[in-house]
Amino acid sequence: FSFSLHRVFKKTSGNGGLTLYLGKRDYVDHVDKVDRVDGVVKLDPADFGDRKVFVQLACAFRYGSDDLDVMGLCFRKDIWMQQTQLYPNGEKPALSAMHDTLLKKAGDNAHPFSFEIPNNLPCSVSLQPGPDDKGKACGVDFEIKTYLAKEKNNPDEKIEKKDTARLVIRKIQYAPSQVGAGPKADICKSFMMSDKPVHLEASMEKDVRHEPIKISLLNKTVKKIKISVDQTTDIVLYSADKYTKCVLNQEFGYTVDSNGSFDNTLTITPLLADNKEKRGLALDGRLKDEDTNLASTTMLRQGVEKEVLGILVSYKIKINLMVAGGG
């Protein structure tokens, strides 16, 4: 016999006529392509009347709460959207193993669908809310929605909430297999009361996160090495807002004599667990009841306008030396 270990995510519309099934909610951007979104919608057409069933995948930037939307102020901007008709006479995609699993789970009257996410779209990013913030977090999100409507795109047709089923998914960035040379920086600092300057050189072998930092020191008594990591979040879609927050501050108690040298590799790992209280920190999207991570660095592809990405995330590493005599 055979069985499936797939976890299935599902959401049913308020009227009970639509049930959306997904096999996963994280879709990986491999730089050259993005995982395909395969899903299924189970239908109970008893109360559909002359309405049709559609399914859409939308990438949007949210910069306000749902409460403000109710007041007539729209704080959600669609970046990209794709729709397809499922019923009646819907398009049928080539079935994948995921489709087969979901169709067995959904049973009769289930209709498969697929979406290809362009690799020039931003990854899911949410700004960490404060303790008193309510509603959906600001950021870039992807949402799959199935709904009942008479026409595919009629702005004058009102879609009732009870006639829709929604699931939020995440597009997440994986480090590319082909990476470039890592960053390297050096500085030579002279001191008034000393005839020997201190020379500091820092480098990373690869330009990816979690890479150890190699540090070399010469000619100065050093009591302590302090490494900090800053995350910069640049909101480019609607304004020029830019935030910089420290996500790691770590000290190393090495002692280097004035005539000696120091050559070592230090490993640091910024973690969200150490930054839970920092409002506005960029995260890798947030799904209900699931944890997330610090947002990955935004990869700027050639020919893609920054505004389309919504939020740009970058990191900067700073190294401070505590030397004898202060400074």
Side-chain angles (χ1 to χ4, degrees):
F1 64 95
S2 63
F3 61 93
S4 173
L5 295 178
H6 276 300
R7 180 182 178 184
V8 174
F9 302 90
K10 73 173 186 177
K11 191 66 175 288
T12 301
S13 61
N15 63 15
L18 305 171
T19 302
L20 174 62
Y21 289 83
L22 292 175
K24 61 180 183 178
R25 298 180 73 180
D26 285 341
Y27 296 84
V28 177
D29 183 344
H30 300 276
V31 181
D32 59 335
K33 65 175 183 176
V34 184
D35 291 347
R36 193 174 77 166
V37 181
D38 291 335
V40 163
V41 178
K42 181 180 175 65
L43 309 180
D44 181 1
D47 298 323
F48 288 2
D50 60 349
R51 294 176 297 175
K52 303 170 185 176
V53 179
F54 299 94
V55 63
Q56 74 173 33
L57 173 59
C59 171
F61 180 76
R62 177 180 291 278
Y63 49 101
S65 68
D66 291 332
D67 294 338
L68 295 173
D69 286 344
V70 172
M71 294 170 59
L73 300 173
C74 182
F75 284 84
R76 178 183 172 90
K77 180 178 177 61
D78 288 327
I79 299 174
W80 173 87
M81 180 186 297
Q82 192 173 73
Q83 299 167 298
T84 186
Q85 182 176 319
L86 284 184
Y87 173 89
N89 305 319
E91 300 176 10
K92 296 188 181 298
L95 294 184
S96 65
M98 179 66 74
H99 280 133
D100 292 337
T101 298
L102 296 176
L103 287 169
K104 290 178 183 177
K105 184 73 176 179
D108 295 337
N109 211 11
H111 296 252
F113 65 87
S114 293
F115 289 111
E116 298 283 353
I117 302 176
N119 65 353
N120 63 343
L121 291 180
C123 288
S124 299
V125 177
S126 65
L127 301 185
Q128 182 162 258
D132 299 325
D133 293 338
K134 298 179 181 179
K136 292 185 179 180
C138 296
V140 175
D141 65 33
F142 288 78
E143 180 185 75
I144 296 179
K145 179 177 74 171
T146 183
Y147 60 95
L148 289 172
K150 292 183 178 181
E151 299 179 39
K152 187 175 182 179
N153 286 307
N154 183 356
D156 297 325
E157 183 178 5
K158 183 179 181 181
I159 309 298
E160 298 288 345
K161 189 174 182 179
K162 64 181 179 63
D163 295 330
T164 66
R166 307 166 183 258
L167 280 173
V168 175
I169 64 173
R170 285 190 298 198
K171 176 176 176 281
I172 55 177
Q173 181 73 64
Y174 271 20
S177 57
Q178 300 294 326
V179 295
K184 182 178 180 179
D186 64 89
I187 186 173
C188 188
K189 176 76 173 179
S190 299
F191 294 84
M192 185 177 297
M193 304 300 293
S194 173
D195 59 344
K196 291 184 178 181
V198 61
H199 183 81
L200 167 65
E201 181 181 290
S203 62
M204 297 174 67
E205 184 178 341
K206 302 175 183 177
D207 57 352
V208 294
R209 200 176 73 174
H210 300 317
E211 187 69 19
I213 301 172
K214 184 178 181 181
I215 293 179
S216 299
L217 293 170
L218 291 173
N219 298 335
K220 190 68 179 177
T221 301
V222 175
K223 295 183 176 181
K224 195 180 297 182
I225 300 172
K226 181 178 177 181
I227 301 179
S228 62
V229 179
D230 289 342
Q231 180 197 78
T232 298
T233 304
D234 190 0
I235 302 176
V236 297
L237 187 65
Y238 73 96
S239 72
D241 288 350
K242 184 179 285 191
Y243 310 95
T244 298
K245 298 181 181 294
C246 181
V247 295
L248 181 140
N249 207 338
Q250 192 169 345
E251 293 184 353
F252 297 87
Y254 294 101
T255 299
V256 184
D257 296 332
S258 59
N259 293 318
S261 63
F262 173 87
D263 196 345
N264 205 344
T265 299
L266 307 178
T267 300
I268 57 172
T269 307
L271 297 172
L272 175 58
D274 302 325
N275 296 277
K276 287 283 191 179
E277 305 302 318
K278 293 183 179 177
R279 185 176 186 267
L281 205 62
L283 312 178
D284 263 340
R286 184 185 292 275
L287 299 177
K288 187 177 181 181
D289 301 327
E290 293 189 25
D291 204 358
T292 183
N293 311 290
L294 294 173
S296 302
T297 299
T298 304
M299 299 187 66
L300 295 175
R301 295 179 173 87
Q302 189 173 4
V304 178
E305 295 184 5
K306 291 183 178 180
E307 289 73 15
V308 176
L309 299 176
I311 297 177
L312 305 181
V313 180
S314 60
Y315 291 87
K316 181 169 68 174
I317 299 172
K318 294 190 293 186
I319 301 172
N320 292 326
L321 304 179
M322 305 301 173
V323 302

